[in-house]
Structure formats: structure tokens, C-alpha cells
Amino acid sequence: MSSGNFQVSKGGEVLKLYSEVEANCLDCLMRDPLRPFVPQYHGLVTRGELCYIRLEDLLSGLKRPVIMDCKMGVRTFQEDELVKARVKAPLRSDMYQKMVKMDPSAPSAEEHAQKGVTKWRYLQWRDSISSTSTLGFRIEGIMMEDGSIQRDFRKIQTLAQVTEALLYFTRSQLDTLRAYHSRLLALSDALKNSPFFRTHEVIGSSLLFVHDHSKASVWMIDFGKTTPLPDSQELRHNVPWSEGSREDGYLIGLSSLVASLAQAISVASWQQEESCEEEQISP
């Protein structure tokens, strides 16, 4: 949800700072069964010194959209970050500060003394305190109609808490919840048939949920850390990660989201029936 890497251009496009890894992924995805679930990729454009990826603007035509960013997978760090950390990664004071802000007791005595942590240590810690490692995804933030961004979902740990967040995000609107649910089931089918998905380690990628009063959709975004597997290796995406396996747990996160949405739909239906009954009773 940061706008630092983005520029909006005319004609329903968004420009995102060029990354070779992401451009390669988008190139493949345009010829893959996942294409309907990814923003349209229109190639590259140079503005001044910088090169940008041209993408479909997913908010185009929506009135006061509400947006939720869910970072998918059981880990948000790549395996080579782990290898680099062992070699002796640089200490990051900015990540140490973020850690202390969220939990002053999180850094070790040594890290407190150095006032720094490695990037890998920070990412691993972030995954462990959120639902990333348990549910296979985490809610990074929600932007409401008025443009306010809420990030207090980052410490969610249970499916029941996710369900509550979904009801808040959709204001318990059944149509919206159902549209999201069926879109995720369709995505699940597309992932099963996707050569891209089978042969890529998908790290730090998000599902972007977007709705306004009339429509709702979900999109796969952010492929800057998604890398092809070496020679004819394939991933299952539905098993926990162990070092060297390269498994990302993407499908673990997807099934958690589908389960939470189903739960949210039943809560919202029940709320609707309750309020209908109350209306009938009141004179």
C-alpha cells in the first residue's frame, strides 16, 4: 500500500518501478491460465532516468473503493536471504526500530546493544508474530472509502480474527462477501492448472481485494520476489516450508482465506436474518 514505487498515468494504467524479476513474471503470466487474475501488463516505459512497468489500474472505474492487501505464503523471505544472513548480513537500524516499536522485548540483548538486526531476522520475526507462519497469509492493511489506512490487523493470529476483519472490511455486505468467495474458488482452480504457479517460488506476493458499492474482485499482485525454480523442479505450495524445500505455502494461505470468507458469509447471513426478524416484530 505504499505509493513510493508507483505513478498513475493516463488511460487506466499504473506505472510501477521496473524490476526485471517482476517483468519476467508478468510476461509469463500473460500467457498462463492465471492471466484473468493478474493486472494486464502493457510492457515497459521510460520516464526521464527511470524505467517503469505499465500495468492496468485495478481501481479504474470504481467509486470510493475499499481495498485490502493480503500478503500470501508461510514466509516472506527468500531462501537466499537466509544464506546471506549466515555469511554476515549487514545490520539494519531501520528494521531494529520497527521491531522495537512493535515489541520492545523482541530484540536480543546483543541486538539491543548493536541497535540493529539483519533483514532476514526481522522478516522471520514479522512472520512469526503474524498469521503468516500459522495461516499462510497476513493482512497487511485495509484502506476504507475515506482513504484512511488501517494496519492494526498485522497481529491477527486466528481464523476467527480474520473472519472479524473480513466482516469489518466488507461491512458485512453479503453480495460482496459472496463475490470474493467465488472469485477465490475460481483462482484456486486456475492455480491448479497453472504451469507458472507450479514452477515458481511465490514470495511476498499479495492478493488485492477491491470493492465498491457495485462490484468486488481479487487480484494477484507484486511479483518482485517470485522466482522460477531450477530445471524442471515443481512446488506443491500446500505444505509447510523447511529449509531448502523452497515451498512457499501459498495454497495454505488461500484455503485459510476461503475458510474465513465462508465463515463471514454465514455470520453475515445470520445477522441479516436477525435484523429482518426484528423489523417484522417492531410495530
Side-chain angles (χ1 to χ4, degrees):
M1 289 204 167
S2 67
S3 56
N5 294 343
F6 288 95
Q7 286 195 9
V8 177
S9 81
K10 292 175 190 63
E13 281 187 9
V14 171
L15 301 183
K16 185 177 184 185
L17 212 50
Y18 173 74
S19 129
E20 187 182 358
V21 173
E22 184 151 37
N24 288 343
C25 286
L26 289 163
D27 214 28
C28 291
L29 284 162
M30 291 302 104
R31 303 186 295 271
D32 188 87
L34 288 175
R35 182 175 178 160
F37 298 91
V38 179
Q40 279 289 337
Y41 170 53
H42 301 295
L44 307 174
V45 63
T46 309
R47 289 258 172 112
E49 300 287 290
L50 297 171
C51 184
Y52 291 93
I53 287 170
R54 294 166 54 209
L55 291 171
E56 168 192 1
D57 179 2
L58 300 174
L59 306 182
S60 182
L62 296 178
K63 292 188 172 60
R64 301 179 70 207
V66 186
I67 305 166
M68 176 171 70
D69 181 326
C70 291
K71 196 172 278 230
M72 301 300 290
V74 291
R75 63 188 162 99
T76 57
F77 53 88
Q78 293 167 298
E79 293 215 353
D80 59 1
E81 286 178 306
L82 173 62
V83 176
K84 283 179 198 155
R86 293 216 176 96
V87 177
K88 194 64 183 144
L91 294 176
R92 298 277 298 262
S93 60
D94 56 333
M95 291 183 165
Y96 167 78
Q97 296 298 339
K98 280 186 187 173
M99 207 169 181
V100 170
K101 199 172 161 190
M102 283 182 80
D103 179 3
S105 67
S108 66
E110 187 188 357
E111 286 164 344
H112 274 308
Q114 295 167 331
K115 296 213 179 326
V117 296
T118 64
K119 181 183 175 186
W120 178 74
R121 161 82 167 108
Y122 172 77
L123 292 172
Q124 195 188 31
W125 169 77
R126 273 293 287 116
D127 290 353
S128 71
I129 61 157
S130 68
S131 53
T132 289
S133 43
T134 50
L135 301 179
F137 81 97
R138 71 168 175 254
I139 300 174
E140 282 289 277
I142 290 179
M143 188 172 102
M144 298 308 279
E145 296 100 322
D146 60 3
S148 64
I149 293 182
Q150 315 205 357
R151 300 190 184 277
D152 43 355
F153 308 99
R154 290 171 165 199
K155 285 189 175 175
I156 282 178
Q157 293 275 8
T158 66
L159 271 183
Q161 290 170 312
V162 174
T163 301
E164 255 176 67
L166 290 169
L167 288 165
Y168 167 79
F169 167 59
T170 57
R171 302 212 188 281
S172 303
Q173 292 294 318
L174 267 172
D175 290 352
T176 306
L177 286 163
R178 287 190 178 124
Y180 280 143
H181 189 252
S182 60
R183 175 80 168 165
L184 287 188
L185 294 179
L187 171 61
S188 179
D189 284 344
L191 288 167
K192 287 189 187 94
N193 299 315
S194 164
F196 176 89
F197 190 57
R198 273 197 299 279
T199 56
H200 281 74
E201 180 186 354
V202 185
I203 299 293
S205 178
S206 286
L207 282 180
L208 196 71
F209 290 70
V210 184
H211 68 268
D212 65 4
H213 57 86
S214 64
K215 56 175 184 278
S217 199
V218 184
W219 303 91
M220 291 177 78
I221 60 164
D222 293 343
F223 302 101
K225 283 184 168 187
T226 294
T227 44
L229 296 165
D231 39 67
S232 70
Q233 229 182 304
E234 293 191 353
L235 292 183
R236 289 164 60 191
H237 300 285
N238 62 356
V239 291
W241 171 70
S242 58
E243 198 185 322
S245 75
R246 295 189 70 160
E247 286 289 355
D248 52 34
Y250 193 101
L251 293 176
I252 295 174
L254 187 60
S255 54
S256 296
L257 271 168
V258 169
S260 268
L261 271 165
Q263 188 105 51
I265 288 167
S266 56
V267 172
S269 326
W270 176 76
Q271 285 172 345
Q272 204 176 56
E273 281 163 25
E274 289 275 279
S275 64
C276 288
E277 281 166 21
E278 277 169 23
E279 277 168 25
Q280 285 165 359
I281 293 163
S282 63

